[in-house]
Amino acid sequence: MPSNDRTDVIIVGGGIVGAAIARELAKYDLNVLLLERHPDLAMETTKANSAILHAGFDASPGSLKALLNVRGNELFRQLQADLGLELKLTGSLVVATSAAEMDAIGELYSRGGENGVPGLKILSREQVLDIEPNLTEQTLGALHAPTAGIISPFGAALAFAENAALNGVKIIRECPVTAIAVTDGRIAGVHTPHGFIAARFVVNAAGVGADTVSRLAGDDSFRIKPRKGEYLLFDKKASCLVKTVVFPTPTKVSKGILVSPTVHGNMFVGPNALDCRDADDVDTSAAGLAEIVAGAEKLVPGIPVGASITQFAGLRAVADGGDFIIGPSPAVGGLVHAAGIQSPGLTAAPAIAERVAAVLRDLGLEMKPNRRFNPVNPPRVLFSELDAAARQALIRENPLYGRVICRCETITEGEIVAAIHSVCGARTVDGVKRRTRAGMGRCQGGFCGPRVTAILARELSLPVTAVRKDTVGSYLFFDKIPRLCEVDSR
Amino acid sequence: MIEQAYDVVVVGGGPAGLAAAVSASDNGALRVLVIERDRELGGILQQCIHNGFGLHRFQQELTGPGYAGRYIRMVGERPNIAVLLDTMVLSVAGDKTILAVNPRDGLLKITAAAVVFAMGCRERTRGAIRIPGSRPAGVFTAGAAQRMVNMEGYLPGKKIVILGSGDIGLIMARRLSLEGCDVKAVLEIMPYSNGLTRNVVQCLEDFGIPLHLSHTVVGVHGKDRVTGITCAKVDDALRPVPGSEFDLECDCLLLSVGLIPENELSGDLGIEMDGLTGGPVVDQLRQTSLPGFFAAGNVVHVHDLVDFVSEEGETAGKYAARHACGLSSSVGRLARIMASDGVRTAVPQVVRLDDVRTAPVRLYMRVARPERRVTLRLLSNSELLLERVLPVAKPGEMVVADIPADKLRAIGDVVTVVLRRQGGEQGE
Amino acid sequence: MNKQEEKRRISCIVCPLSCVGEVSIADGKITGMAGFSCPRGQDYAREEVTAPKRTLTSTVRISGGRLPLLPVVSRQPLPKDKIMACAGCLSTVAVSAPVREGDVIVADILGLGVDVVASRDMTAREEPPGGMMG
């Protein structure tokens, strides 16, 4: 449990928003604690979304979404080098296939201008097809946004968290908040299965659970409606049909089903949009997968469905007001919400963090700069991207870099061990996957999964049967249990 | 960086690679190297602890490790075969320079006069067949589970459902039953099992495990661990039939839904591939479209019997050795083998015809669907090269037939392979 | 027809034809057979009905070896109804490396007159036992 030091701020939730806030607060001389209920960070909305760095032309001018999207996009580009973010500025296209849609992208263009999005252009059919020759024949034109890009969302969350931890933020995983103590209308601390933690401020960054956390403190001011989106991811070897993020012209409820490359060189399609009751319902369905393929086919015909390597669903945390909810609780002193963070929440996250820091300052939190703050994460070894001399030197220093564990992505045992022992390191098989890509390839861990399990067991001094896939109870293997025998063996 | 030169380098130390290395050594290659990524030789045979291997090759019934052991000893008896274990090939260049890596030597640059690809195959995954539902722990491919149970000492679950009734799925049903697990059912999307009748009898019927033909999994349930699956009957187009769904309670779903030749290295080289087998196009010498690059075993096409894998490895190793000794295998014209009318695949896909070649050409074929009393016919230039009545033909078992040497001269540019039902009707 | 008569369907595994035949049994004796197209199939069906046998393959624990498990095989087929008991027996057995293929691991298992032998060599290793990472 945390030290006896007074805790200034407890951040509830270790997704991209909580992690970005943790890193922002690490810039100040504060005692900050981040609590995550799962065995790893980035396990909910952050791990299953469109992984897009949005330019910022979608949201209504003046909304928090619009403001923080554009600012977040700028911050991400600034932070890329320091944090070692996997980010590519591919640009995005909103494709119009009818006169009405051409009008709509014209509106997006003006809206983007009002929101302060740089570099927007309306492209002609020829210009669009020149960039993306695999688009539908029906293409009439597109809105091009050069500042849009693609990013590894869980990679970004882990990078923020790592930097926060290196700069003194304590991160405790498998630590759900079970109750919030309020005294005289002010936050007193939080209860967890590991004990009570006193704190002056609680930042609610609990994603689809943000309304539940708010109610724990007695604040019933908003509701989160989870809205599910399903995705299909394709093998790298299947030709990636697009180079940029390709959106259809949006409707009122959704940006639509898009086709995009990932930072790791795969292609994906999705999401659809389904309101659901459960905040943990991430089941995919045959109908949903058919829907996203059909939607993607309208934009980019010839989606190679047979080359899909996995499908998944994520939940958007949609607040009843529609916009982000960022600011002090109207009911409880010391409670600050960063809630309702649906799209473009990933892009906005570092800007949300700045805003939360400003709110805390306004609420009277003394924020002296942390003189020892180091904004730079240590470099991560990526064996597959090194030249021969560097590989050779690395293996001589640590032979584990000479053993390839994930064949599809060429990930070595050295990288996996480093991911386990890094700050806020991997504890689960999927945690290793999110940090190293081991198991993300076409065999989806069929070969390396058991080996990663064994490495986790060895490095964490656990029995193999105690190693988990992802969630708290997701144990992978059972021991063979000896039975009674009627005779003695030799 | 360590640099080494060999006559023949074999990538993969499973049954195909071991047979290729032995054969290369026996056919004139002076220096042979086997590169194996696992900690020991033998490949997948080491986890196939059941019996039934080797009836053709050794005229006795062996276990998988027993079969592998025979070839491992043959390799050990030939001092000119070197073995690199725990070593991963990172790339193979068109000039036959191989970059490999292991913890002991670091990077290795290996040059070869001829290369034999023998990387085997991998298992098709849940993602590839798009089973909807949640993504809890407890969904494994059957082969991964087999390794855990037979070599590592762990069980993938206690209450098991298996999707896919190929031999691996059936064998795992028995294996887990013997380990005290409750195997609830085996589901098969096709109207027939792809496994041997012997395995249906001895792995399912013996243990009272139901086999649901024309059924598939339409949902996986559970947040942490699998708690059950929903299965449904499928129609003739293999689509789930609405209303036919039922749930099976289980904590583990094993997938035995197909094998995919592991051809990342061959594909990167631009070697011509066969879209149906998933492997490279080869001639009867097992040479690919790139001279000096040979391939054998499940990397070429998924075999049913390891004996045929060894046979293919022997062929590839022999001609790789000859290539390394300067005896080119690239003379003569090529004829295409075209499988059609009920024959799904045929290997080799091309036949090399030169004036000196007098050996019969053995074809390995897979039929598209189960057939009874059909006639297999090979035709070229409207001449019948071969006609054979097959009392029974199943997609899961390869049909093997030789084009007689004296018929080779009659071959034109194309050989067609067809099935005819009795009465001359097509075997569709 | 004899009231005691029972019919059993047997899938023949002798050859790829996979005949499915029927064996009639009355008072514990075979009274008739139908559907098997050759004498080998009839012999197989007769044995399946009277004294079915199976080869057993499984694993036993091994210490000091390159792997934690040693695969084993019954040298001859065992009575089918004793297979589970024999598998249960093997699950409690532990041996030490080195072992050679063919070494007897359990002699005369459950008094059935059949030895269970190692189906591969397992050399000893000096480092701690391998398991998955080897």
Side-chain angles (χ1 to χ4, degrees):
Chain A
M1 269 337 289
S3 67
N4 297 324
D5 297 348
R6 167 195 64 115
T7 300
D8 296 307
V9 184
I10 291 174
I11 302 163
V12 182
I16 182 73
V17 174
I21 293 168
R23 196 233 178 209
E24 185 64 29
L25 296 182
K27 294 174 180 170
Y28 304 97
D29 202 1
L30 295 171
N31 205 326
V32 179
L33 189 59
L34 186 153
L35 303 182
E36 167 56 51
R37 61 177 169 154
H38 293 296
D40 200 2
L41 303 181
M43 273 180 55
E44 294 186 359
T45 301
T46 301
K47 81 165 179 188
N49 57 72
S50 302
I52 306 290
L53 193 70
H54 288 285
F57 49 76
D58 285 287
S60 308
S63 65
L64 279 175
K65 280 182 174 178
L67 196 69
L68 299 178
N69 182 344
V70 176
R71 172 68 180 153
N73 181 297
E74 189 185 323
L75 286 172
F76 261 117
R77 284 181 278 147
Q78 290 169 14
L79 289 168
Q80 181 175 10
D82 278 358
L83 296 183
L85 300 176
E86 296 167 299
L87 187 163
K88 282 181 194 157
L89 293 176
T90 55
S92 69
L93 292 169
V94 182
V95 176
T97 57
S98 68
E101 290 187 351
M102 283 304 286
D103 291 346
I105 64 169
E107 281 171 39
L108 283 182
Y109 175 82
S110 334
R111 204 191 296 170
E114 281 184 66
N115 289 349
V117 180
L120 289 179
K121 252 188 213 155
I122 302 274
L123 303 183
S124 69
R125 173 185 159 88
E126 289 67 34
Q127 288 171 311
V128 181
L129 293 178
D130 197 40
I131 300 175
E132 293 291 1
N134 295 318
L135 287 185
T136 169
E137 274 298 302
Q138 264 79 56
T139 301
L140 294 181
L143 174 67
H144 181 245
T147 55
I150 52 181
I151 186 167
S152 163
F154 40 83
L158 292 167
F160 279 117
E162 180 178 8
N163 195 251
L166 286 170
N167 286 295
V169 173
K170 289 193 193 71
I171 297 174
I172 305 177
R173 289 172 284 178
E174 289 189 64
C175 189
V177 170
T178 51
I180 297 180
V182 176
T183 309
D184 300 333
R186 268 203 66 85
I187 290 289
V190 304
H191 293 276
T192 77
H194 310 291
F196 178 74
I197 310 166
R200 295 170 60 206
F201 293 93
V202 167
V203 175
N204 174 12
V208 289
D211 54 349
T212 309
V213 167
S214 180
R215 280 198 294 274
L216 287 179
D219 174 357
D220 201 8
S221 60
F222 64 92
R223 284 278 182 284
I224 301 293
K225 285 192 203 118
R227 187 182 292 157
K228 183 154 73 178
E230 292 166 84
Y231 296 88
L232 260 180
L233 185 76
F234 298 92
D235 192 340
K236 283 179 186 181
K237 296 270 170 175
S239 55
C240 191
L241 296 172
V242 294
K243 296 186 285 290
T244 57
V245 181
V246 178
F247 298 97
T249 301
T251 61
K252 286 216 171 67
V253 290
S254 158
K255 293 191 185 77
I257 291 159
L258 55 112
V259 182
S260 173
T262 71
V263 278
H264 300 134
N266 304 81
M267 178 176 79
F268 80 87
V269 303
N272 51 0
L274 301 159
D275 287 321
C276 48
R277 244 174 274 162
D278 292 343
D280 61 352
D281 172 11
V282 287
D283 289 12
T284 56
S285 68
L289 296 172
E291 180 190 354
I292 58 174
V293 170
E297 284 276 342
K298 280 188 210 156
L299 269 185
V300 184
I303 297 293
V305 178
S308 69
I309 56 173
T310 189
Q311 54 275 320
F312 56 89
L315 298 174
R316 309 166 181 92
V318 182
D320 33 19
D323 203 359
F324 297 157
I325 299 170
I326 299 167
S329 157
V332 182
L335 176 63
V336 176
H337 297 304
I341 313 297
Q342 56 168 314
S343 178
L346 166 61
T347 313
I352 293 170
E354 281 184 341
R355 196 166 180 100
V356 166
V359 169
L360 287 167
R361 183 183 284 118
D362 290 348
L363 291 175
L365 180 64
E366 195 186 352
M367 293 171 73
K368 283 188 294 193
N370 172 1
R371 293 229 175 84
R372 286 175 304 182
F373 179 73
N374 176 0
V376 182
N377 277 345
R380 202 158 62 92
V381 170
L382 275 172
F383 180 83
S384 62
E385 288 172 18
L386 297 177
D387 65 19
R391 287 176 175 183
Q392 193 68 351
L394 194 62
I395 298 166
R396 200 170 299 129
E397 192 185 314
N398 180 354
L400 294 184
Y401 284 98
R403 180 175 290 129
V404 175
I405 298 295
C406 169
R407 300 161 173 181
C408 302
E409 302 285 317
T410 316
I411 309 300
T412 62
E413 187 171 358
E415 290 163 271
I416 292 167
V417 170
I420 294 168
H421 292 303
S422 67
V423 177
C424 194
R427 292 175 180 178
T428 59
V429 172
D430 284 2
V432 168
K433 178 167 87 171
R434 283 190 286 270
R435 284 168 182 78
T436 65
R437 276 154 59 189
M440 260 188 208
R442 61 189 65 85
C443 92
Q444 287 288 297
F447 171 77
C448 70
R451 282 164 177 76
V452 170
T453 304
I455 295 169
L456 278 162
R458 184 189 70 204
E459 298 298 323
L460 299 175
S461 302
L462 293 171
V464 164
T465 50
V467 177
R468 294 167 294 179
K469 176 181 183 283
D470 204 13
T471 53
V472 171
S474 61
Y475 298 100
L476 284 155
F477 296 106
F478 299 90
D479 267 322
K480 285 213 220 181
I481 298 163
R483 288 161 293 178
L484 292 173
C485 180
E486 296 162 33
V487 294
D488 285 331
S489 58
R490 78 171 190 182
Chain B
M1 195 185 322
I2 295 176
E3 299 194 16
Q4 294 173 341
Y6 291 89
D7 295 320
V8 174
V9 173
V10 181
V11 183
L18 295 177
V22 168
S23 164
S25 167
D26 292 350
N27 283 282
L30 296 178
R31 302 193 65 203
V32 179
L33 173 68
V34 179
I35 304 177
E36 168 55 43
R37 53 194 173 187
D38 212 332
R39 62 201 160 192
E40 62 178 347
L41 293 174
I44 216 72
L45 286 173
Q46 300 288 19
Q47 68 184 54
C48 298
I49 65 165
H50 54 281
N51 59 311
F53 300 90
L55 280 170
H56 293 251
R57 179 64 186 77
F58 295 108
Q59 286 77 50
Q60 54 176 314
E61 206 176 343
L62 301 169
T63 64
Y67 189 100
R70 270 156 187 72
Y71 270 99
I72 292 169
R73 284 193 279 277
M74 284 187 244
V75 165
E77 287 156 7
R78 287 164 177 75
N80 64 336
I81 304 179
V83 175
L84 277 172
L85 295 176
D86 198 10
T87 304
M88 180 79 184
V89 171
L90 297 172
S91 65
V92 181
D95 66 356
K96 305 190 187 72
T97 304
I98 295 163
L99 189 65
V101 66
N102 71 36
R104 189 183 56 253
D105 308 306
L107 290 184
L108 297 120
K109 188 175 165 189
I110 296 154
T111 52
V115 175
V116 179
F117 287 128
M119 292 85 76
C121 56
R122 65 169 185 272
E123 298 180 277
R124 184 167 278 129
T125 63
R126 175 181 176 183
I129 58 169
R130 296 181 297 286
I131 301 175
S134 61
R135 301 201 298 161
V139 181
F140 299 95
T141 54
Q146 186 179 47
R147 187 178 171 107
M148 291 305 284
V149 176
N150 290 346
M151 297 180 75
E152 314 291 358
Y154 298 97
L155 297 176
K158 300 283 181 65
K159 289 179 282 183
I160 319 274
V161 171
I162 299 173
L163 176 61
S165 68
D167 288 314
I168 312 170
L170 300 176
I171 293 283
M172 282 309 290
R174 173 174 63 188
R175 189 71 196 102
L176 289 164
S177 298
L178 289 173
E179 289 291 348
C181 299
D182 178 8
V183 181
K184 301 275 185 181
V186 174
L187 310 175
E188 170 59 58
I189 195 167
M190 301 305 286
Y192 50 86
S193 165
N194 262 323
L196 298 170
T197 304
R198 169 172 133 142
N199 286 334
V200 174
V201 171
Q202 297 193 349
C203 300
L204 301 188
E205 291 175 10
D206 277 8
F207 297 92
I209 300 167
L211 171 61
H212 298 291
L213 297 174
S214 295
H215 277 77
T216 193
V217 177
V218 294
V220 176
H221 312 299
K223 298 292 179 202
D224 288 331
R225 202 49 222 188
V226 173
T227 56
I229 56 125
T230 301
C231 49
K233 199 168 169 45
V234 298
D235 62 18
D236 292 344
L238 308 181
R239 288 172 310 216
V241 176
S244 70
E245 298 87 355
F246 61 97
D247 288 349
L248 288 172
E249 190 202 334
C250 60
D251 62 7
C252 174
L253 173 64
L254 291 189
L255 302 175
S256 174
V257 291
L259 300 170
I260 304 163
E262 186 106 80
N263 273 294
E264 273 59 52
L265 293 172
S266 345
D268 290 347
L269 278 166
I271 284 172
E272 186 189 351
M273 304 295 286
D274 178 335
L276 286 175
T277 57
V281 169
V282 292
D283 63 19
Q284 75 268 40
L285 317 179
R286 295 305 180 269
Q287 184 167 234
T288 68
S289 63
L290 271 190
F293 287 94
F294 296 79
N298 283 350
V299 83
V300 176
H301 55 145
V302 175
H303 289 64
D304 55 346
L305 295 181
V306 69
D307 311 67
F308 293 148
V309 168
S310 299
E311 188 177 294
E312 198 163 79
E314 278 162 23
T315 303
K318 174 178 172 182
Y319 290 100
R322 290 169 61 89
H323 182 94
C325 296
L327 300 165
S328 173
S329 305
S330 303
V331 291
R333 67 190 173 87
L334 292 174
R336 280 264 156 188
I337 311 274
M338 305 293 284
S340 63
D341 291 3
V343 184
R344 189 166 177 273
T345 61
V347 173
Q349 295 89 344
V350 292
V351 178
R352 187 169 290 282
L353 299 157
D354 58 33
D355 293 338
V356 293
R357 208 163 300 289
T358 52
V361 172
R362 175 160 289 187
L363 293 183
Y364 298 86
M365 290 151 287
R366 281 195 190 263
V367 297
R369 62 194 67 77
E371 306 278 2
R372 275 187 179 272
R373 284 182 290 282
V374 283
T375 306
L376 174 76
R377 296 173 124 191
L378 271 68
L379 300 135
S380 189
N381 285 343
S382 56
E383 179 161 343
L384 190 61
L385 305 175
L386 175 76
E387 183 172 68
R388 160 109 65 89
V389 175
L390 306 174
V392 65
K394 297 175 184 172
E397 295 169 33
M398 287 205 299
V399 177
V400 182
D402 293 341
I403 306 176
D406 61 359
K407 293 283 187 186
L408 293 179
R409 281 175 204 285
I411 292 181
D413 292 339
V414 172
V415 177
T416 45
V417 188
V418 297
L419 285 187
R420 289 278 183 273
R421 286 216 176 119
Q422 288 201 334
E425 179 197 351
Q426 280 188 2
E428 266 304 302
Chain C
M1 191 193 275
N2 189 327
K3 264 191 284 181
Q4 305 286 304
E5 188 171 275
E6 177 206 351
K7 286 188 191 284
R8 276 190 58 193
R9 276 163 65 91
I10 299 287
S11 301
C12 178
I13 64 166
V14 174
C15 82
L17 273 180
S18 304
C19 297
V20 180
E22 225 171 33
V23 180
S24 309
I25 306 155
D27 301 329
K29 285 191 179 130
I30 294 173
T31 54
M33 263 192 216
F36 300 101
S37 53
C38 73
R40 284 166 67 210
Q42 292 175 356
D43 290 346
Y44 168 78
R46 192 169 296 119
E47 184 169 289
E48 273 298 278
V49 169
T50 53
K53 288 195 170 64
R54 299 288 185 262
T55 297
L56 173 64
T57 57
S58 191
T59 59
V60 299
R61 306 223 160 237
I62 185 163
S63 56
R66 290 166 53 87
L67 301 177
L69 293 180
L70 175 74
V72 295
V73 57
S74 64
R75 197 169 258 161
Q76 288 88 33
L78 293 157
K80 186 176 127 180
D81 61 355
K82 296 282 192 270
I83 287 290
M84 281 308 290
C86 291
C89 172
L90 290 173
S91 72
T92 66
V93 171
V95 295
S96 305
V99 169
R100 302 284 296 174
E101 184 182 343
D103 285 358
V104 174
I105 302 300
V106 178
D108 186 21
I109 189 163
L110 297 183
L112 296 165
V114 173
D115 293 344
V116 173
V117 302
S119 62
R120 63 169 281 175
D121 298 346
M122 189 69 75
T123 51
R125 59 181 283 162
E126 302 185 1
E127 299 136 71
M132 286 185 279
M133 290 317 303

PDB file of all heavy atoms in Angstrom, chain C residues 28-41:
ATOM      1  N   GLY C  28     -24.381 -63.573 -25.184  1.00  0.00           N
ATOM      2  CA  GLY C  28     -22.935 -63.355 -25.166  1.00  0.00           C
ATOM      3  C   GLY C  28     -22.204 -63.963 -26.345  1.00  0.00           C
ATOM      4  O   GLY C  28     -20.979 -63.962 -26.381  1.00  0.00           O
ATOM      5  N   LYS C  29     -22.957 -64.472 -27.322  1.00  0.00           N
ATOM      6  CA  LYS C  29     -22.289 -65.065 -28.483  1.00  0.00           C
ATOM      7  C   LYS C  29     -22.702 -64.343 -29.748  1.00  0.00           C
ATOM      8  O   LYS C  29     -23.841 -63.874 -29.866  1.00  0.00           O
ATOM      9  CB  LYS C  29     -22.670 -66.552 -28.611  1.00  0.00           C
ATOM     10  CG  LYS C  29     -21.953 -67.409 -27.580  1.00  0.00           C
ATOM     11  CD  LYS C  29     -22.143 -68.888 -27.891  1.00  0.00           C
ATOM     12  CE  LYS C  29     -21.403 -69.719 -26.852  1.00  0.00           C
ATOM     13  NZ  LYS C  29     -22.249 -70.767 -26.271  1.00  0.00           N
ATOM     14  N   ILE C  30     -21.762 -64.271 -30.684  1.00  0.00           N
ATOM     15  CA  ILE C  30     -22.075 -63.609 -31.945  1.00  0.00           C
ATOM     16  C   ILE C  30     -22.944 -64.542 -32.782  1.00  0.00           C
ATOM     17  O   ILE C  30     -22.589 -65.699 -33.033  1.00  0.00           O
ATOM     18  CB  ILE C  30     -20.777 -63.251 -32.695  1.00  0.00           C
ATOM     19  CG1 ILE C  30     -20.020 -62.185 -31.871  1.00  0.00           C
ATOM     20  CG2 ILE C  30     -21.065 -62.743 -34.102  1.00  0.00           C
ATOM     21  CD1 ILE C  30     -18.653 -61.854 -32.392  1.00  0.00           C
ATOM     22  N   THR C  31     -24.084 -64.031 -33.170  1.00  0.00           N
ATOM     23  CA  THR C  31     -25.006 -64.870 -33.944  1.00  0.00           C
ATOM     24  C   THR C  31     -25.092 -64.426 -35.395  1.00  0.00           C
ATOM     25  O   THR C  31     -25.664 -65.113 -36.219  1.00  0.00           O
ATOM     26  CB  THR C  31     -26.419 -64.822 -33.323  1.00  0.00           C
ATOM     27  OG1 THR C  31     -26.806 -63.442 -33.215  1.00  0.00           O
ATOM     28  CG2 THR C  31     -26.435 -65.469 -31.958  1.00  0.00           C
ATOM     29  N   GLY C  32     -24.559 -63.251 -35.680  1.00  0.00           N
ATOM     30  CA  GLY C  32     -24.615 -62.834 -37.074  1.00  0.00           C
ATOM     31  C   GLY C  32     -23.861 -61.541 -37.291  1.00  0.00           C
ATOM     32  O   GLY C  32     -23.577 -60.798 -36.355  1.00  0.00           O
ATOM     33  N   MET C  33     -23.508 -61.297 -38.564  1.00  0.00           N
ATOM     34  CA  MET C  33     -22.792 -60.071 -38.925  1.00  0.00           C
ATOM     35  C   MET C  33     -23.287 -59.621 -40.278  1.00  0.00           C
ATOM     36  O   MET C  33     -23.545 -60.439 -41.156  1.00  0.00           O
ATOM     37  CB  MET C  33     -21.295 -60.382 -39.060  1.00  0.00           C
ATOM     38  CG  MET C  33     -20.509 -60.067 -37.831  1.00  0.00           C
ATOM     39  SD  MET C  33     -18.779 -60.135 -38.215  1.00  0.00           S
ATOM     40  CE  MET C  33     -18.187 -60.798 -36.684  1.00  0.00           C
ATOM     41  N   ALA C  34     -23.416 -58.308 -40.433  1.00  0.00           N
ATOM     42  CA  ALA C  34     -23.820 -57.786 -41.741  1.00  0.00           C
ATOM     43  C   ALA C  34     -23.111 -56.471 -42.003  1.00  0.00           C
ATOM     44  O   ALA C  34     -22.850 -55.700 -41.086  1.00  0.00           O
ATOM     45  CB  ALA C  34     -25.340 -57.591 -41.772  1.00  0.00           C
ATOM     46  N   GLY C  35     -22.780 -56.229 -43.241  1.00  0.00           N
ATOM     47  CA  GLY C  35     -22.266 -54.919 -43.630  1.00  0.00           C
ATOM     48  C   GLY C  35     -20.767 -54.814 -43.742  1.00  0.00           C
ATOM     49  O   GLY C  35     -20.259 -53.778 -44.148  1.00  0.00           O
ATOM     50  N   PHE C  36     -20.044 -55.856 -43.360  1.00  0.00           N
ATOM     51  CA  PHE C  36     -18.579 -55.791 -43.498  1.00  0.00           C
ATOM     52  C   PHE C  36     -18.194 -56.426 -44.831  1.00  0.00           C
ATOM     53  O   PHE C  36     -18.631 -57.532 -45.142  1.00  0.00           O
ATOM     54  CB  PHE C  36     -17.885 -56.518 -42.331  1.00  0.00           C
ATOM     55  CG  PHE C  36     -18.257 -55.912 -41.004  1.00  0.00           C
ATOM     56  CD1 PHE C  36     -19.203 -56.517 -40.197  1.00  0.00           C
ATOM     57  CD2 PHE C  36     -17.676 -54.728 -40.586  1.00  0.00           C
ATOM     58  CE1 PHE C  36     -19.557 -55.954 -38.990  1.00  0.00           C
ATOM     59  CE2 PHE C  36     -18.028 -54.156 -39.376  1.00  0.00           C
ATOM     60  CZ  PHE C  36     -18.977 -54.774 -38.576  1.00  0.00           C
ATOM     61  N   SER C  37     -17.370 -55.713 -45.600  1.00  0.00           N
ATOM     62  CA  SER C  37     -17.171 -56.188 -46.968  1.00  0.00           C
ATOM     63  C   SER C  37     -15.974 -57.120 -47.119  1.00  0.00           C
ATOM     64  O   SER C  37     -15.658 -57.537 -48.212  1.00  0.00           O
ATOM     65  CB  SER C  37     -17.050 -54.990 -47.920  1.00  0.00           C
ATOM     66  OG  SER C  37     -16.056 -54.107 -47.446  1.00  0.00           O
ATOM     67  N   CYS C  38     -15.261 -57.419 -46.034  1.00  0.00           N
ATOM     68  CA  CYS C  38     -14.137 -58.350 -46.183  1.00  0.00           C
ATOM     69  C   CYS C  38     -13.928 -59.124 -44.894  1.00  0.00           C
ATOM     70  O   CYS C  38     -14.416 -58.721 -43.833  1.00  0.00           O
ATOM     71  CB  CYS C  38     -12.861 -57.600 -46.577  1.00  0.00           C
ATOM     72  SG  CYS C  38     -12.137 -56.642 -45.240  1.00  0.00           S
ATOM     73  N   PRO C  39     -13.187 -60.212 -44.947  1.00  0.00           N
ATOM     74  CA  PRO C  39     -12.959 -61.028 -43.746  1.00  0.00           C
ATOM     75  C   PRO C  39     -12.186 -60.274 -42.665  1.00  0.00           C
ATOM     76  O   PRO C  39     -12.429 -60.469 -41.477  1.00  0.00           O
ATOM     77  CB  PRO C  39     -12.140 -62.216 -44.258  1.00  0.00           C
ATOM     78  CG  PRO C  39     -12.291 -62.219 -45.736  1.00  0.00           C
ATOM     79  CD  PRO C  39     -12.617 -60.831 -46.148  1.00  0.00           C
ATOM     80  N   ARG C  40     -11.285 -59.347 -43.079  1.00  0.00           N
ATOM     81  CA  ARG C  40     -10.530 -58.603 -42.067  1.00  0.00           C
ATOM     82  C   ARG C  40     -11.477 -57.735 -41.247  1.00  0.00           C
ATOM     83  O   ARG C  40     -11.319 -57.582 -40.047  1.00  0.00           O
ATOM     84  CB  ARG C  40      -9.474 -57.717 -42.748  1.00  0.00           C
ATOM     85  CG  ARG C  40      -8.275 -58.488 -43.249  1.00  0.00           C
ATOM     86  CD  ARG C  40      -7.444 -57.635 -44.201  1.00  0.00           C
ATOM     87  NE  ARG C  40      -6.803 -56.502 -43.530  1.00  0.00           N
ATOM     88  CZ  ARG C  40      -6.528 -55.344 -44.114  1.00  0.00           C
ATOM     89  NH1 ARG C  40      -6.851 -55.148 -45.366  1.00  0.00           N
ATOM     90  NH2 ARG C  40      -5.928 -54.395 -43.446  1.00  0.00           N
ATOM     91  N   GLY C  41     -12.448 -57.192 -41.938  1.00  0.00           N
ATOM     92  CA  GLY C  41     -13.434 -56.373 -41.240  1.00  0.00           C
ATOM     93  C   GLY C  41     -14.235 -57.209 -40.269  1.00  0.00           C
ATOM     94  O   GLY C  41     -14.526 -56.781 -39.145  1.00  0.00           O
TER      95      GLY C  41
END
